[in-house]
Amino acid sequence: DAGVTQSPTHLIKTRGQQVTLRCSPKSGHDTVSWYQQALGQGPQFIFQYYEEEERQRGNFPDRFSGHQFPNYSSELNVNALLLGDSALYLCASSPEPTGWAYEQYFGPGTRLTVT
Amino acid sequence: RKEVEQDPGPFNVPEGATVAFNCTYSNSASQSFFWYRQDCRKEPKLLMSVYSSGNEDGRFTAQLNRASQYISLLIRDSKLSDSATYLCVVIPGGGSNYKLTFGKGTLLTVNP
């Protein structure tokens, strides 16, 4: 049973460029969340997708956008990259929560460096 | 005030020591609480959920105090393999039921 997979593993981009990161959820999971983790910080919630729609969004600018496909995989797009966007981008999947407590499974992340 | 605040650390302890991590959260409507573990340059992984009555999993004990909005994690008989960053995590509730809100993390190094 494959866990959450992300691609690419590492990426180097220049300021002003655009980037697309990809995520495939764990088998049986239909919800995908994206997090940004800067060095020395905890992950920060970007947004969550469920049924191909953005269900909840964190405090990130519109330069950050996403998409979920019918097979539940997801993309994170970042436009007009800034140096401060350099971080580890984590994708997490989960089944639709049936109660208050549920686990999100994280992928290995994509390390983005903006120069 | 930050949504989730943790002991800044780092903690350096010898093998066999007992170590405790503390965490506070700001949203009294928060419903779900977790401790995640993150190894260096790896993804976070769930260590344990935290229940109102407190819960234990082997050498690990988690406690929740809703009145004080305080969460703790106790590790007994520390092993070298416990070296990692420990992240306190809260689901805020009140309309934000789907996102995990992480603390900054506390780095633990267990020394031989």
Side-chain angles (χ1 to χ4, degrees):
Chain A
D1 176 25
V4 180
T5 60
Q6 292 187 243
S7 63
T9 306
H10 296 87
L11 203 52
I12 300 175
K13 290 286 190 178
T14 304
R15 275 180 300 175
Q17 286 188 315
Q18 179 265 343
V19 68
T20 297
L21 311 181
R22 295 176 176 82
C23 170
S24 291
K26 183 177 169 66
S27 177
H29 289 183
D30 55 8
T31 301
V32 174
S33 303
W34 287 92
Y35 293 81
Q36 179 196 66
Q37 186 174 24
L39 197 61
Q41 303 294 318
Q44 298 294 310
F45 176 78
I46 302 175
F47 41 52
Q48 184 180 86
Y49 277 83
Y50 173 67
E51 292 187 339
E52 301 180 48
E53 291 197 359
E54 183 184 290
R55 173 158 69 178
Q56 190 164 26
R57 189 178 183 90
N59 189 25
F60 278 80
D62 292 344
R63 298 187 298 109
F64 289 77
S65 64
H67 189 77
Q68 186 179 34
F69 299 94
N71 67 352
Y72 308 123
S73 66
S74 176
E75 288 182 349
L76 164 65
N77 301 292
V78 187
N79 294 322
L81 285 167
L82 304 174
L83 294 179
D85 294 333
S86 295
L88 179 67
Y89 287 85
L90 294 160
C91 170
S93 76
S94 55
E96 176 62 2
T98 55
W100 288 109
Y102 70 108
E103 180 177 358
Q104 293 190 5
Y105 293 79
F106 284 83
T110 294
R111 192 164 298 279
L112 172 66
T113 302
V114 182
T115 62
Chain B
R1 182 181 172 186
K2 291 184 179 178
E3 289 185 89
V4 180
E5 294 201 67
Q6 293 186 239
D7 288 335
F11 285 39
N12 284 279
V13 302
E15 271 188 290
T18 295
V19 61
F21 302 123
N22 301 313
C23 171
T24 57
Y25 59 95
S26 61
N27 186 344
S28 60
S30 298
Q31 297 290 336
S32 300
F33 312 90
F34 310 91
W35 284 99
Y36 273 70
R37 169 197 169 124
Q38 186 172 27
D39 293 303
C40 187
R41 303 184 75 81
K42 298 284 190 179
E43 71 273 22
K45 292 184 179 179
L46 179 67
L47 179 65
M48 57 196 304
S49 301
V50 186
Y51 302 119
S52 296
S53 56
N55 48 299
E56 187 174 308
D57 183 3
R59 298 181 294 108
F60 299 83
T61 301
Q63 296 281 346
L64 169 64
N65 184 322
R66 286 188 182 273
S68 301
Q69 295 177 208
Y70 170 88
I71 307 160
S72 66
L73 175 68
L74 184 75
I75 304 176
R76 292 181 300 277
D77 188 24
S78 299
K79 311 291 185 191
L80 295 177
S81 58
D82 293 334
S83 296
T85 295
Y86 289 82
L87 296 157
C88 177
V89 184
V90 172
I91 294 182
S96 299
N97 297 341
Y98 304 110
K99 71 172 189 177
L100 301 180
T101 300
F102 286 79
K104 191 175 178 179
T106 303
L107 176 63
L108 171 66
T109 301
V110 180
N111 302 302

